[in-house]
Amino acid sequence: MKEHPNKMISSRAFSYFLQLADTLNYTKTAHLLGISQPALTQQIKKLEVKLGSPLFQTVGKQLCLTEAGVIMKEAIESIYDTLVEASEKIHDENLSTRGKITIGISASVEDCVFTDFITDYFKQFPDVAVTLFMVGRKEVWEYLEKNKIDIAILYLPDGVLNKWKGYESVRIIKDELLFLHHDENLEGKKTITYHEAQAFPWVTYPKSYFVSQVIQTAFESQEVGRPESVANFTKPNQMFRFSNETGTNTALPRSFFQAHEKEGELRAIPFEPPIAMELAFVYRKEKLNVPRISHFLNVFDKYITDEDYISRLKNKK
């Protein structure tokens, strides 16, 4: 069995060899290294014995690399280049305005504020490359758990992260589901009961989707059956358009409705009792130790302090 390279050759021998390969002069190299020439010669000889091949030869009075020496020099320089590149990446990781940030956003979330923010963020900090994935909620969680994304943006029911000890969340807004309808008879009503809402035909998310599960749980808590769905879509804009053009009804986040209210004829009314959710950033706790992640979140906080999230939705670009 071959010996492990770390047991074969010391890093000092590599550095001595590389310096000698550069100067091709024992006296000059020993001076540069601050050691005696016999000590240098001894280290090079040990290295050659370990490798089983001479690394230097004398042609006339000139010291030259052997073929094995050339191979060794190229290999060590390649390793040094890799180490330098790794050092630079580690350095960039520790900078707040350089590096990469990967974000996963649930397809049920209106993305316009985040897209606008990332656009503005890039203008201020062009050395930070931000990637935004819009996928299903299940995929967002999978990416988060497998560390494929740095930050998730999704809807959370109250207290859900108590079960996820390794994660933290930062609320973006407190949101709720609204009943979107076409019925003039509901005009003037301040709220709608689950029983009243059940009587209408709905367009909803697929049953496996988070918002559908939230609706089902809310209805079951009031001992009311799940609303009948005539169609299912995976994105809120699809549901909004279908509902608007077919006269069916749906339930979508207040924030989404406020962003798209003028695009259709739908009316909105809150449920009684309310179906509350919160839109939040979710991330692994250790991510806040990465300067660019904490910087990104801090800049976003200032962004919605300057103009609140709902106002930005209504004034979306």
Side-chain angles (χ1 to χ4, degrees), residues 48-66:
E48 291 177 328
V49 169
K50 289 283 189 180
L51 294 172
S53 178
L55 300 173
F56 296 92
Q57 61 185 353
T58 302
V59 179
K61 294 184 179 181
Q62 180 64 46
L63 187 68
C64 301
L65 287 167
T66 63

Side-chain angles (χ1 to χ4, degrees), residues 178 186-193 254 268-272:
L178 299 180
L186 295 178
E187 202 70 34
K189 283 180 65 69
K190 294 183 178 180
T191 59
I192 187 170
T193 66
R254 177 185 292 276
I269 185 172
F271 288 97
E272 178 55 44

Side-chain angles (χ1 to χ4, degrees), residues 12 20 48 62 86 89 107 138 169 181 226 234 255 266 280 283 286-287 297 299 302:
R12 181 192 302 175
L20 182 57
E48 291 177 328
Q62 180 64 46
K89 286 183 178 180
K138 182 179 178 181
S169 67
H181 66 91
R226 178 187 174 89
T234 60
S255 57
L266 289 166
Y283 47 83
E286 65 267 21
K287 288 293 182 179
L297 294 172
V299 175
K302 183 178 184 304

Side-chain angles (χ1 to χ4, degrees), residues 240-273:
F240 184 93
R241 180 177 176 183
F242 184 89
S243 176
N244 186 63
E245 295 184 11
T246 62
T248 54
N249 308 280
T250 190
L252 290 172
R254 177 185 292 276
S255 57
F256 180 88
F257 179 73
Q258 289 175 320
H260 297 274
E261 182 177 2
K262 296 179 181 179
E263 298 172 16
E265 302 299 325
L266 289 166
R267 302 175 178 89
I269 185 172
F271 288 97
E272 178 55 44

